[in-house]
Amino acid sequence: MILDLTREVKVIRPEAKSVFPYSNSLFIDDDVRLMIDAGAGGRAYEPIDPESIDILLVTHNHFDHVNGISFFTNAQIKVGKEEALGYSSPEAYSAWAGFRHWEKLMGRTKVERFYQTVTMPEDVPVKPGFQDVKISGVLNNNDVFDVGKTKIYALHTPGHSHGHYAFYLEKEGILFSGDLDLSPRGPWYAGEFSNFDDLVQSVEKIIEIDPRILVTSHRRVFDRDKDDIVKLLQDFIGIALEKEEKIYDLLTEPRTIEDIAKHNIMGDISSKSAYAQFWDKMMIMKHLQRLEKHKRITRIDEDYYVQA
Ligand SMILES: [Zn+2]
């Protein structure tokens, strides 16, 4: 589905819900045709002829944002410089995913591959996992793409992943925030190089810009005239901070990550797939590191944490 924001700026929404394995794209239909992200699914891109796209900008290397890259056969592809190596090196991709922690957090060797645990709709052309992509350049903070009437600014917004970029159309007041997505479940920061403090700073950067229109990867379009975008962004961070306080409250006695996970602070863990459980534990680990850094908790031995 195509949603016109202005004459040139359009949101490409997936035919199904814009949740994994799909995400929204932002399409700039200008002298140079530019697309942001490639996860809306083959059917959604059909009406705009993906082969006619000149530039494809990628917010970050998560499957639901990159699975349709092969549709854009003639586009120059630009990705965040911080995670560019993960598009050509399977080793870099796997290190970036954080699976070196699997054995410790899950208590067993990792045997399953993520792609074996999910089935893909037919308009998603690849399976999750490493994808060899020929990129034509990298994104740096404040890079500008002048495509005719529209200027697009790249904003390095790390936290969700360390090479995550948002895109701002200053004249139009439109900001595409990628996976700083205002999900009611709160932010995701479970990758090896995900960082919650960075994520907070990235959200603050968006609040400072105070966009008129906020387009996220997985939700509807937010409009400052109707939605309190600043409060929505603050609440989004607040959800994670609340989880952190719950973790802290549990540490009146020494506990391990495993003990904390059983309290379902990140959601009902028993109903989740092995991967979702792993990501919950990665996020608990990140909160523990943060609480430790702020000297609110200490580690008593390798595995136990307690209030300082
Ligand atoms: Zn993501």
Side-chain angles (χ1 to χ4, degrees):
M1 191 180 82
I2 302 175
L3 193 71
D4 292 344
L5 298 181
T6 69
R7 247 175 72 140
E8 287 83 24
V9 185
K10 298 148 202 253
V11 182
I12 311 286
R13 302 212 64 172
E15 296 287 310
K17 274 188 88 174
S18 51
V19 294
F20 187 93
Y22 295 117
S23 64
N24 300 322
S25 273
L26 196 70
F27 171 39
I28 321 297
D29 189 5
D30 212 321
D31 299 345
V32 174
R33 286 160 70 82
L34 182 146
M35 186 69 76
I36 301 174
D37 274 355
R43 279 193 302 274
Y45 294 123
E46 257 165 41
I48 57 110
D49 182 15
E51 299 195 351
S52 72
I53 297 295
D54 303 298
I55 300 176
L56 175 68
L57 306 179
V58 180
T59 55
H60 65 300
N61 193 6
H62 278 164
F63 180 72
D64 46 339
H65 302 256
V66 298
N67 62 49
I69 280 183
S70 61
F71 298 134
F72 300 92
T73 44
N74 296 308
Q76 286 184 31
I77 301 168
K78 306 236 176 188
V79 305
K81 71 166 188 291
E82 296 78 6
E83 50 194 51
L85 198 55
Y87 292 82
S88 59
S89 153
E91 293 75 26
Y93 179 82
S94 156
W96 177 77
F99 293 139
R100 71 185 177 96
H101 301 282
W102 186 279
E103 209 159 304
K104 181 155 175 62
L105 294 181
M106 301 299 284
R108 59 181 172 79
T109 317
K110 182 172 179 295
V111 283
E112 61 272 71
R113 301 290 196 91
F114 184 55
Y115 70 78
Q116 293 166 325
T117 68
V118 285
T119 34
M120 282 303 129
E122 45 85 20
D123 70 336
V124 171
V126 292
K127 287 191 176 86
F130 171 74
Q131 207 188 154
D132 200 348
V133 175
K134 204 171 160 25
I135 58 172
S136 14
V138 294
L139 296 167
N140 291 280
N141 189 38
N142 293 330
D143 275 358
V144 187
F145 296 87
D146 190 340
V147 295
K149 294 175 204 67
T150 320
K151 264 190 196 158
I152 299 117
Y153 294 84
L155 306 174
H156 184 216
T157 43
H160 176 76
S161 75
H162 70 316
H164 183 282
Y165 279 71
F167 297 93
Y168 184 45
L169 285 57
E170 190 176 24
K171 184 160 53 82
E172 296 79 1
I174 297 169
L175 195 142
F176 186 77
S177 65
D179 270 354
L180 301 173
D181 64 358
L182 306 184
S183 160
R185 292 189 308 276
W188 186 99
Y189 37 94
E192 177 76 13
F193 306 116
S194 303
N195 181 294
F196 184 66
D197 284 322
D198 289 349
L199 196 138
V200 172
Q201 275 186 21
S202 294
V203 168
E204 278 167 1
K205 196 167 174 174
I206 296 174
I207 289 175
E208 211 165 294
I209 290 170
D210 191 17
R212 188 176 65 82
I213 302 284
L214 183 75
V215 183
T216 74
S217 289
H218 297 290
R219 294 200 64 198
R220 66 175 173 86
V221 172
F222 296 93
D223 181 333
R224 197 172 55 191
D225 288 342
K226 292 177 226 138
D227 304 297
D228 192 344
I229 293 177
V230 169
K231 182 168 186 305
L232 284 163
L233 287 161
Q234 286 165 342
D235 288 352
F236 179 60
I237 293 299
I239 294 164
L241 287 173
E242 223 171 88
K243 289 173 184 165
E244 186 164 286
E245 286 313 303
K246 284 187 185 158
I247 292 170
Y248 176 76
D249 289 345
L250 279 176
L251 297 179
T252 48
E253 55 184 276
R255 291 187 204 268
T256 63
I257 292 178
E258 185 66 29
D259 295 337
I260 297 167
K262 286 192 185 119
H263 284 80
N264 298 330
I265 288 167
M266 318 305 274
D268 178 12
I269 199 156
S270 65
S271 67
K272 293 189 180 186
S273 70
Y275 277 84
Q277 291 184 15
F278 170 71
W279 290 320
D280 277 7
K281 290 177 183 179
M282 284 290 278
M283 290 193 269
I284 291 169
M285 186 173 83
K286 300 212 180 240
H287 282 298
L288 291 170
Q289 286 164 352
R290 189 166 179 270
L291 287 165
E292 210 181 347
K293 192 176 91 185
H294 295 164
K295 304 205 173 349
R296 297 182 68 200
I297 64 166
T298 48
R299 217 199 265 223
I300 13 186
D301 68 22
E302 174 82 16
D303 294 325
Y304 283 83
Y305 299 82
V306 70
Q307 288 182 6

